[in-house]
Amino acid sequence: MASAGQAGTGLPAGSHRDPALQALVDRVVADPNPNPGAFLLARHGLTDRFGAAGAADRATGSPMAPDLKFRAGSVTKTFTATVVLQLVAEHRVRLDDTVQSLLPDQVRTDNALSGAPITVRQLLNHTSGLYDYIDGLLPHFRSIDQYWPREQLIGIGLAQPRYFPAPGTRFRYSNTNFLLLDLIVERVTDHDLRTNLERRIFNPLGLRDTSYPLAQTTIDGAHVHGYADVSPLLPNAPEATRFDVTAFSPSEAGASGALVTTAADTARFYRALLQGRLLPSALLRAMLTDTVPTTGSAPPAVAYGLGMYVYATACGLAYGHGGSAPGYLTFALNSRDGRDQLVAHTNWNSFVDTGIDKDFWAAFQQGYCSHPG
């Protein structure tokens, strides 16, 4: 496995360490916080700045750096949603098509698709009401590197009653929605999501450090190691509250969160998306403005569009997504025109509810609104 110290040249030319961003990440890794490392990469216009602190790999002591690969978690959802909306633009799918019509074999009298019809739009904006399979994984857990078939995960999600019976009535985040979108993409295009991501997004944008692994539990090249509290899963593990979970299988997340990427590639993707290079203007506008209030979500999230969060920051609305994966926590915030951006990352993420990491949350919100001195 490549060590974190083999950092490449993935940062934009001219990037420089910024004292204000550095002060923010220093607080993220300061005791008593459990975070081994953290970074912020900010862009305002053509100026790129960063702050990085702590360790990317506790075993070797390799320092955290913003050009390392990491597991992006639910940032993946914006990528998946972009593919779906491209298929809408090609008239191969409609936002108001029902899951039941597109995936009739998934409907059974004893599962959640037997209720009121759910549309593609409702999968994209998390108003389907479908149970989140993540909440039902623990009884099926056997090992960190186990492979999770998509069909098993969808089955877990559909086996439980809906959170609410009438789709479209309110927001309730559920990763099951995006596994069904994955299956729809595959049925419509006759290619898996990885192929679609590579052909439609990764290759056209030159995202050379971005991949969509499912069966591979290692990360190729220089990367961040992820750490978590695994006491609910492996109570006898050494250092169970800061255990290296880098090898946690990305198949557990699939289309909802399996992406491996870098901060620069993440920023490049959102910049291209928001500047109209990936979607027609009407569909991009729908992605950002066809929103529902994110009731119950932690600030600064205020609304959710079609695979995109809307954040209310001290310097105005921002668009993007958060990403939570075992051992990794990421946020990407962007101005409407894609000129102002922030990618924030830390390599500790608990399996248990330990509350909000206040220093990290403060860092990504303040970092987005900070400007070069």
Side-chain angles (χ1 to χ4, degrees):
M1 181 182 293
S3 73
Q6 298 169 319
T9 57
L11 288 178
S15 298
H16 65 278
R17 192 178 294 268
D18 177 80
L21 297 181
Q22 187 61 42
L24 290 170
V25 293
D26 284 342
R27 287 203 293 269
V28 174
V29 303
D31 289 334
N33 291 342
N35 311 71
F39 70 72
L40 299 173
L41 177 67
R43 164 175 279 218
H44 296 284
L46 298 178
T47 302
D48 293 289
R49 303 168 297 128
F50 70 89
D57 182 348
R58 292 177 64 214
T60 66
S62 299
M64 179 63 83
D67 58 348
L68 301 173
K69 295 180 183 180
F70 55 86
R71 299 198 189 280
S74 287
V75 172
T76 306
K77 288 183 172 68
T78 309
F79 286 74
T80 301
T82 299
V83 171
V84 172
L85 292 175
Q86 288 178 342
L87 295 176
V88 172
E90 295 164 11
H91 306 290
R92 301 169 77 177
V93 177
R94 295 176 301 179
L95 286 172
D96 293 324
D97 282 344
T98 66
V99 178
Q100 288 82 345
S101 66
L102 293 168
L103 304 172
D105 57 305
Q106 295 295 312
V107 183
R108 298 199 312 265
T109 57
D110 63 344
N111 76 15
L113 289 181
S114 62
I118 294 167
T119 66
V120 170
R121 185 192 311 273
Q122 291 159 353
L123 296 180
L124 286 166
N125 66 13
H126 293 293
T127 61
S128 72
L130 293 173
Y131 176 79
D132 189 345
Y133 74 86
I134 292 289
D135 292 340
L137 281 186
L138 189 57
H140 305 274
F141 176 81
R142 300 294 177 268
S143 67
I144 281 180
D145 61 354
Q146 78 186 75
Y147 181 78
W148 299 84
R150 178 182 59 189
E151 293 71 21
Q152 179 187 15
L153 301 178
I154 291 175
I156 294 170
L158 298 183
Q160 298 296 320
R162 299 183 188 186
Y163 293 120
F164 45 88
T169 54
R170 61 187 177 90
F171 175 84
R172 180 55 161 88
Y173 195 90
S174 174
N175 291 281
T176 305
N177 294 323
F178 276 73
L179 295 196
L180 290 170
L181 289 169
D182 176 12
L183 191 52
I184 288 169
V185 168
E186 190 172 287
R187 296 283 176 87
V188 169
T189 66
D190 288 327
H191 295 288
D192 62 16
L193 182 61
R194 177 189 289 110
T195 300
N196 277 281
L197 288 168
E198 290 172 350
R199 292 179 179 178
R200 295 169 176 272
I201 299 176
F202 301 170
N203 295 338
L205 298 184
L207 305 184
R208 292 184 294 273
D209 293 319
T210 300
S211 61
Y212 179 73
L214 287 178
Q216 182 176 334
T217 58
T218 57
I219 301 176
D220 294 330
H223 61 275
V224 175
H225 283 242
Y227 300 89
D229 179 353
V230 296
S231 54
L233 305 176
L234 303 169
N236 297 320
E239 294 192 272
T241 60
R242 296 179 78 185
F243 188 80
D244 190 328
V245 293
T246 307
F248 203 98
S249 175
S251 62
E252 171 264 346
S256 70
L259 204 72
V260 169
T261 188
T262 62
D265 274 9
T266 301
R268 187 177 299 117
F269 162 70
Y270 278 105
R271 193 158 59 247
L273 175 62
L274 291 165
Q275 293 177 354
R277 292 176 54 193
L278 295 173
L279 293 174
S281 59
L283 280 172
L284 176 59
R285 186 166 56 252
M287 187 183 215
L288 304 178
T289 63
D290 186 358
T291 60
V292 292
T294 51
T295 306
S297 297
V302 293
Y304 198 91
L306 305 180
M308 184 88 80
Y309 269 108
V310 182
Y311 299 104
T313 75
C315 51
L317 293 180
Y319 302 85
H321 218 289
S324 177
Y328 300 87
L329 184 60
T330 308
F331 281 88
L333 278 69
N334 309 268
S335 61
R336 174 62 181 83
D337 61 7
R339 285 179 55 81
D340 294 339
Q341 300 183 282
L342 179 89
V343 180
H345 181 76
T346 185
N347 58 340
W348 189 87
N349 194 1
S350 180
F351 282 98
V352 296
D353 184 10
T354 56
I356 293 173
D357 181 338
K358 293 181 180 178
D359 287 318
F360 182 65
W361 282 64
F364 81 78
Q365 295 178 66
Q366 293 175 30
Y368 175 72
C369 291
S370 70
H371 289 267

